[in-house]
Amino acid sequence: MIKIDLKKIPSKPGVYLFKDKNGKPLYIGKAKDLKKRFSQYLKSDSLKIKELLKNASDLEFLITNSEAEAIFKESDLIKKFNPPFNQLLRDDTNYFYVIFTKEEFPRVLVIHQPNKFNYFKIFGPFTEGTALRTLLRIVRKTTPFCTCKEKHLRECLNYNLNLCYGFCCLKNYKIKKEDKEKYYRSLEIIEKILGGDFFNLKKELIGEIKENLEKDNLKEAQRLKEIYLAIKKIENEIQILKEDSFLIENQRKKVLLELKEKLKLSNLPNIIEVYDISHLAGKEKVGIIVSFYEGRFEPQKLRKFKIKTVLKPDDPRMIYEVLKRRLKHNEWGLPDLILVDGGKIQFKFTQKAIEEANVSERIKIISFAKPKEEIYYSLKEPPMPLEKFSKITADFIRLLDTKAHQYVLKYHKQLREFQK
């Protein structure tokens, strides 16, 4: 097993490479604090981390000037070497890409599956979706670009917020040469930012600012200055919010083990389904199911339901209807654990649906009651306060509930707007 001397590793942001005996990268990661990250590796009881350390013969780390720079350096190295341990983590939820779509005015999108889009430029893979979106939000304030799904007759909201040029997504607009030049200049700057070479980009911008000042082109000089300051902001403010992917996987395993123990499950809750309801005084009634597999959100398994049999506002009976309809789909398989939003009554109606489908022996039910934050797991036992769980597991339960709530509200809003 590779030996790591923490005394030789600085507490700075950077990228690290575990290498085999031939010097080929086995795994590439990034950290905002390299020393802290390697300390976590040495303490981890993850089988995959132990396997990585066992196979690694050498460790190389590259210090970067900022956390943002580490994000881009990691992406560049993963793309170049495609290490085997990174391949183990490559799925639809772990990697992000930025694409420029293949259109007259290309849209700039952060996505998981580039093969589903027609694009002419792609950047990635990145492991930081949150940081990427934060970066593009900062950039967009000074360097507008389009994200509209389709063209429209009026200017979009982003145009009114100065985040979009307006002409790029208008129907029946007569395109001018200067419009294209302006838009593609924005794409050039975004491309350079995604390349992560902030030093040379800032140097180039300073040169352009001076050139425009000499020509008394004050408006353009001011615009370039704002872009320069935005890049400085990216360097200072973009944070690597997530842990290393292997460490995250280890944390997920601990969460599932704690849920199994505290809820007295016979198996690990590898498949969790979360149910929520939304309506407006009993109108536009909808239900939603979001799924988690081994602690990871599975967006492709999102299920939407329009409530058909419950006429009045009655959340427990709406949950009952959704469950009855869901459990008729044998092709979907069965979850290990179901979480419903609500208290004892919601739990009771969920249990009724499970028993009527003859699957009560295979599925465990819990309901999450707010605002007291209590977990109902049995009609014979008092609810369990969320504080009885570890912080990481309590946060995971909140995440389950929040994710379902976000999607049910989104679906309800879409339905209301469609019916206007």
Side-chain angles (χ1 to χ4, degrees):
M1 184 178 288
I2 187 174
K3 293 183 179 180
I4 300 174
D5 187 353
L6 292 175
K7 293 178 182 179
K8 295 181 179 179
I9 300 172
S11 297
K12 292 183 178 181
V15 177
Y16 54 92
L17 300 86
F18 284 103
K19 297 181 176 181
D20 64 17
K21 59 184 179 182
N22 297 316
K24 292 183 178 180
L26 292 170
Y27 179 69
I28 296 170
K30 64 178 176 331
K32 58 184 174 183
D33 185 325
L34 288 166
K35 178 175 281 190
K36 184 178 178 181
R37 174 56 48 80
F38 292 122
S39 175
Q40 291 172 325
Y41 266 95
L42 294 173
K43 294 175 184 176
S44 175
D45 55 4
S46 164
L47 293 177
K48 287 187 178 179
I49 288 179
K50 288 180 178 178
E51 185 69 16
L52 172 63
L53 297 177
K54 180 181 176 182
N55 284 275
S57 297
D58 190 20
L59 171 65
E60 180 183 352
F61 59 86
L62 309 169
I63 298 170
T64 56
N65 295 316
S66 65
E67 295 178 30
E69 200 174 304
I71 292 171
F72 299 114
K73 190 65 180 175
E74 179 202 39
S75 172
D76 182 54
L77 291 171
I78 290 174
K79 188 174 183 178
K80 182 177 180 180
F81 294 108
N82 195 21
F85 278 80
N86 288 89
Q87 292 173 27
L88 293 174
L89 300 168
R90 189 183 294 274
D91 62 29
D92 290 346
T93 62
N94 277 325
Y95 282 99
F96 298 84
Y97 299 84
V98 178
I99 61 167
F100 294 170
T101 59
K102 201 171 184 179
E103 301 172 77
E104 191 162 28
F105 291 108
R107 290 174 292 151
V108 180
L109 305 175
V110 179
I111 58 170
H112 281 301
Q113 298 172 303
N115 57 322
K116 292 186 176 182
F117 291 82
N118 192 10
Y119 60 85
F120 82 96
K121 280 197 177 175
I122 183 169
F123 309 88
F126 297 100
T127 58
E128 276 302 320
T130 302
L132 265 183
R133 292 186 179 97
T134 303
L135 179 150
L136 288 173
R137 278 199 297 272
I138 295 170
V139 170
R140 200 173 186 184
K141 291 176 182 177
T142 57
T143 313
F145 56 82
C146 187
T147 54
C148 291
K149 292 182 180 178
E150 55 187 27
K151 291 187 179 291
H152 34 77
L153 294 171
R154 297 181 181 178
E155 284 89 357
C156 61
L157 176 62
N158 286 320
Y159 168 73
N160 292 311
L161 295 173
N162 296 318
L163 302 175
C164 170
Y165 285 115
F167 56 74
C168 48
C169 45
L170 273 181
K171 281 184 179 179
N172 306 322
Y173 177 79
K174 191 174 181 180
I175 299 165
K176 303 170 187 173
K177 183 182 177 182
E178 54 265 34
D179 293 335
K180 275 196 169 184
E181 289 175 352
K182 185 189 291 187
Y183 195 88
Y184 276 83
R185 176 57 178 150
S186 284
L187 294 184
E188 285 176 15
I189 291 169
I190 294 166
E191 183 175 355
K192 288 177 181 177
I193 290 171
L194 292 171
D197 188 358
F198 298 126
F199 178 80
N200 285 321
L201 180 54
K202 286 188 296 182
K203 189 176 178 181
E204 179 184 322
L205 286 168
I206 288 171
E208 290 186 33
I209 291 168
K210 289 179 179 178
E211 188 178 322
N212 278 280
L213 287 173
E214 289 171 0
K215 295 178 180 178
D216 287 332
N217 192 351
L218 301 181
K219 188 175 180 180
E220 180 64 10
Q222 179 61 31
R223 188 184 77 84
L224 293 169
K225 181 183 176 183
E226 288 171 358
I227 295 171
Y228 176 87
L229 293 174
I231 293 164
K232 291 280 287 182
K233 187 175 182 180
I234 289 167
E235 288 184 294
N236 295 330
E237 293 190 14
I238 291 289
Q239 294 184 346
I240 300 171
L241 301 176
K242 294 181 182 177
E243 290 282 6
D244 175 275
S245 297
F246 277 123
L247 294 170
I248 291 172
E249 186 174 329
N250 190 40
Q251 288 175 348
R252 289 192 188 114
K253 184 78 175 290
K254 287 180 178 178
V255 167
L256 298 181
L257 284 167
E258 184 177 355
L259 288 173
K260 179 178 181 289
E261 179 188 342
K262 292 275 176 68
L263 300 175
K264 300 175 182 178
L265 306 178
S266 54
N267 299 303
L268 278 179
N270 287 319
I271 302 173
I272 302 175
E273 289 185 355
V274 191
Y275 292 66
D276 203 356
I277 299 295
S278 183
H279 56 86
L280 185 62
K283 297 180 180 180
E284 288 88 38
K285 305 175 290 292
V286 297
I288 205 88
I289 306 173
V290 296
S291 297
F292 285 74
Y293 178 71
E294 293 184 345
R296 294 194 304 268
F297 174 52
E298 297 274 280
Q300 69 273 19
K301 292 185 179 178
L302 178 70
R303 312 292 184 190
K304 302 175 182 178
F305 297 83
K306 291 181 183 178
I307 304 299
K308 298 177 179 179
T309 63
V310 184
L311 303 178
K312 296 179 180 180
D314 192 334
D315 287 19
R317 282 182 171 80
M318 291 181 195
I319 286 174
Y320 172 77
E321 180 192 320
V322 170
L323 267 160
K324 288 287 286 184
R325 289 164 60 187
R326 180 263 177 267
L327 291 170
K328 290 179 181 178
H329 289 276
N330 295 323
E331 73 278 12
W332 293 355
L334 291 176
D336 302 303
L337 177 67
I338 283 177
L339 182 149
V340 296
D341 181 66
K344 190 173 184 178
I345 298 175
Q346 282 82 357
F347 182 94
K348 185 177 179 180
F349 274 87
T350 303
Q351 188 178 63
K352 184 175 183 241
I354 298 295
E355 288 175 349
E356 289 175 358
N358 295 315
V359 290
S360 57
E361 295 296 319
R362 299 171 62 184
I363 303 174
K364 179 71 178 180
I365 310 162
I366 60 172
S367 62
F368 182 43
K370 304 185 295 293
K372 289 185 177 181
E373 292 200 323
E374 294 177 330
I375 299 292
Y376 284 85
Y377 61 98
S378 170
L379 292 175
K380 298 177 182 178
E381 300 285 342
M384 185 186 303
L386 198 62
E387 61 189 28
K388 291 287 185 180
F389 293 86
S390 66
K391 183 181 183 304
I392 187 172
T393 302
D395 286 343
F396 178 69
I397 292 171
R398 292 188 188 100
L399 170 67
L400 296 176
D401 182 74
T402 300
K403 187 66 72 173
H405 195 60
Q406 286 173 345
Y407 274 92
V408 79
L409 289 179
K410 183 178 179 181
Y411 180 41
H412 184 237
K413 183 181 177 183
Q414 289 171 345
L415 192 64
R416 285 169 58 193
E417 289 177 350
F418 178 75
Q419 292 180 351
K420 283 181 181 178

